[in-house]
Every structure is written in structure tokens, then in C-alpha cells.
Amino acid sequence: MMSMSTFSRLQASYVVPASIFTWDFHQQTLLAEYQGRSLTLGGDAWCDSPGFTAKFGSYTLMELSSGKILDFQRDIIMTNRKFFVGGNWKMNGNKQSIDGIADFLKTGPLDPNTEVVVSPPACYLGYTRQKVDPKIGVAAQNCYKVSSGAFTGDISADMIKDLGCEWVILGHSERRNVFGESDQLIGEKTKYALSKGMKVIACIGEKLEEREAGKTEEVVFRQTQAIIENITADQWPNVVLAYEPVWAIGTGKTATPEQAQEVHEKLRAWLAERVSKEVAASVRIIYGGSVNAGNCKDLGAKPDIDGFLVGGASLKPDFVQIVNARQK
Ligand SMILES: O=C(CO)COP(=O)(O)O
């Protein structure tokens, strides 16, 4: 038996290039043969039926008198990125307040079309896992890049999993800026957590002075590059990217829906070039920074904003409204 990652690697290294080479050769030969002749062309588009592999469509061009295919294009025409809302509790709460949060989450009602994850401080991971509905994911706010050892004060992906939690937030701006974590370390942590089968909310975002200096894209792409290098093709479904401009975190200064959409759209286009069209179309890019019950609907209506990572408001019943931001 071959593992999924070996299969993907062999397919990407040999099968796909060989198929493309063969097709290109065939097409060039055909076009040379038809040179200077008048042709009768017919084209047809085809899409999968919804609910199957509906995200792909193809368009085929045929020379009708010979019945030979001259060209075909395949593209992504539909994506089904499930709306994702994470509550990052940061270093807040105790057992009593967690009970209160579990209660309002239970009362909800929570939109079943939204994937919900809450992220308590490490010492309350097990308690939170027991208290909240099993349909709600529980995330650690950080973890180190190895399974165990002399790393006083840290926790590992293996320990988080042992508590029944499957998510971890990595690269949060507070880890980067208060605790001095580098792009490289965040990449290494991402690699290790994914290798253990964990799901990762990987955070990126520029500081105010970087935005003012026109460096938003440069910073966001640099931070994302260090992350994508550590993700294999088959691991992308386990990754959510969180764009959190540092100037909008905990400041009450939300990015406008247009500002956030602009960065998300550029990041998706960049991912299409750097990773693949499929990953760019399917990965969820969520926004974080002063999201609240009042601004979540406008932000969530933007086409490239696939949800939120919520700080302060995730400790309050307002969080339910944010989870339901896409409801009419
Ligand atoms: O950092 C954040 C989520 O990770 C955002 O925090 P606030 O929602 O409190 O601004």
C-alpha cells in the first residue's frame, strides 16, 4: 500500500508532467497538420452535477469534420468553502466563565453551515473539550515543534490530541510580536502539527507601520511563504489561513470589508501561483481583528472572507451572532 502523500508526490512528479507532455505534442502535431486549412469548430462546456465533484468544469474545442479535439481547458468553477468561525479566548477565563460560554453556545442556535472552533488557554483545553458540544472544535493557542522533551512551559501537538482536541492556532501576532516567534519557527511548528494529523489555523498580518509604508502584501506573502513551504498537497484541507492585521487586533479598529477583501483576494491569487489553483480556490481565508456582532455581516458578505477569528467578542454571547453572520 502506498501512502496518500507518496501517491500525490509520484502523481505530481511523473504522471501529470508525462500527460501534459503527451497532450502538448499531440496538439502541436494536429495544429501543424491543420495549418492553412479551413476548419469547422464546435465547443462545449461541461460541469459536474452539484453534490458530486461540482467544483470543476471543462471546455472542449473540436474540429467537427474529423472529430478531433483541438483544445480543452479545465477550471475551477465552484467552491464550497464552509464558513469558519474561531473564538480565540487568549489568556482569559476560568472554569466558571467557560461554563457560561458553553451555555450560550448550547443555547445558540448556531448556523449548521458554519464550522465553529473555540480556543481556550492550554490549561483549560481538556475542561473545554468536556464542556462544549462535540460538534464544536477545540483549538490550542500554540504548540511546539516536537513531541516532548526539555522545553519548559511548552506543550506539544501530541498532548493536545491526547486531550481530544484537534486544532491549533499557530503564528498569532501576539506569539510573533510579544514572544518573538519567527516566520521560520512558525513554519516548523506548522509542519510538525500537520504531521501529527492536527488541523492548523495559521495566522498572518501586517503591523500598522508596515501598512502605512505600503508593505502589507510584502509582509503577508513573506509570512505565508514560510508556512506554505511546510504543507504537503494532501495536508491543505487541514489548514485555515487567518489574516489578522495587527493594527486591528483588540483596538476596536476593524479593517473595512473592502480592506480585508482586498488582502484576501490578493493572497488567494498569490496562492494560485505559489501552490495551486485548487488550493487557492478551496482554502479558507478568515479575517480577525475587532470582529463583533455589528460588523460581522458586512465582512462575511465579501466573497473571499470565509469566516473569522474572533478575540474579545468570542467571550460574549455576541459570538453566536458572529457564527450566524452568513444567515439572512
Ligand atoms: O487576535 C484576534 C483573534 O485571534 C482578534 O482579537 P479581537 O477580536 O479582540 O480584536
Side-chain angles (χ1 to χ4, degrees):
M1 274 289 280
M2 196 185 277
S3 73
M4 193 61 201
S5 59
T6 306
F7 175 78
S8 305
R9 194 164 37 77
L10 291 177
Q11 188 183 46
S13 311
Y14 301 106
V15 183
V16 173
S19 311
I20 293 173
F21 178 82
T22 308
W23 164 254
D24 282 347
F25 180 73
H26 168 77
Q27 190 185 39
Q28 290 311 317
T29 313
L30 214 55
L31 291 176
E33 192 184 311
Y34 288 152
Q35 192 72 33
R37 281 170 48 186
S38 66
L39 306 173
T40 317
L41 301 178
D44 195 19
W46 178 84
C47 304
D48 281 317
S49 47
F52 199 49
T53 49
K55 63 183 182 174
F56 294 110
S58 62
Y59 190 83
T60 310
L61 194 65
M62 182 190 269
E63 202 289 308
L64 295 177
S65 55
S66 62
K68 290 192 174 163
I69 304 294
L70 285 185
D71 192 27
F72 66 87
Q73 300 288 330
R74 188 212 61 165
D75 220 332
I76 296 157
I77 50 161
M78 224 174 105
T79 57
N80 48 351
R81 301 191 295 264
K82 189 170 187 177
F83 202 64
F84 181 103
V85 176
N88 175 8
W89 299 349
K90 309 196 178 185
M91 199 176 74
N92 291 297
N94 53 33
K95 286 200 258 184
Q96 196 186 353
S97 68
I98 292 169
D99 290 349
I101 295 174
D103 282 346
F104 73 64
L105 288 174
K106 196 167 172 191
T107 308
L110 304 178
D111 185 342
N113 297 314
T114 303
E115 181 168 4
V116 183
V117 171
V118 292
S119 187
C123 56
Y124 295 120
L125 279 167
Y127 186 75
T128 305
R129 184 59 288 168
Q130 285 165 19
K131 285 282 167 178
V132 302
D133 189 303
K135 284 205 281 295
I136 296 177
V138 177
Q141 295 173 13
N142 183 29
C143 69
Y144 199 50
K145 60 176 180 177
V146 293
S147 66
S148 61
F151 301 102
T152 304
D154 233 317
I155 61 169
S156 71
D158 314 62
M159 295 166 184
I160 300 164
K161 277 184 76 177
D162 194 33
L163 291 173
C165 307
E166 55 177 2
W167 284 92
V168 62
I169 300 174
L170 292 174
H172 192 277
S173 73
E174 286 141 24
R175 298 302 318 171
R176 292 176 186 269
N177 300 319
V178 182
F179 299 96
E181 291 192 9
S182 64
D183 290 345
Q184 191 193 336
L185 177 61
I186 292 156
E188 288 166 355
K189 289 179 173 198
T190 303
K191 185 181 180 123
Y192 184 75
L194 290 172
S195 79
K196 288 283 137 178
M198 292 209 63
K199 299 179 183 179
V200 172
I201 302 168
C203 306
I204 60 219
E206 82 287 1
K207 294 185 202 160
L208 183 60
E209 59 268 29
E210 292 165 332
R211 173 163 279 259
E212 285 173 349
K215 292 192 171 160
T216 300
E217 284 163 46
E218 182 187 321
V219 172
V220 166
F221 294 166
R222 189 202 72 224
Q223 292 173 342
T224 313
Q225 179 65 36
I227 292 165
I228 63 171
E229 284 166 9
N230 290 288
I231 304 173
T232 58
D234 57 314
Q235 290 170 337
W236 272 100
N238 287 342
V239 177
V240 169
L241 292 175
Y243 169 59
E244 300 204 299
V246 182
W247 49 271
I249 295 178
T251 56
K253 258 199 203 171
T254 329
T256 62
E258 291 69 32
Q259 282 175 319
Q261 165 62 24
E262 188 188 358
V263 177
H264 285 221
E265 194 179 340
K266 284 185 175 155
L267 183 57
R268 212 179 283 290
W270 183 86
L271 288 168
E273 298 237 313
R274 294 294 173 122
V275 187
S276 68
K277 276 189 184 178
E278 284 79 1
V279 164
S282 59
V283 70
R284 287 168 296 178
I285 307 179
I286 62 174
Y287 167 78
S290 298
V291 176
N292 59 40
N295 58 26
C296 62
K297 276 197 185 290
D298 287 344
L299 284 160
K302 290 289 173 192
D304 287 296
I305 300 180
D306 304 314
F308 307 114
L309 191 56
V310 187
S314 70
L315 301 163
K316 301 186 284 188
D318 286 20
F319 187 63
V320 173
Q321 282 168 267
I322 301 172
V323 167
N324 297 339
R326 280 262 173 101
Q327 280 180 339
K328 297 281 172 248

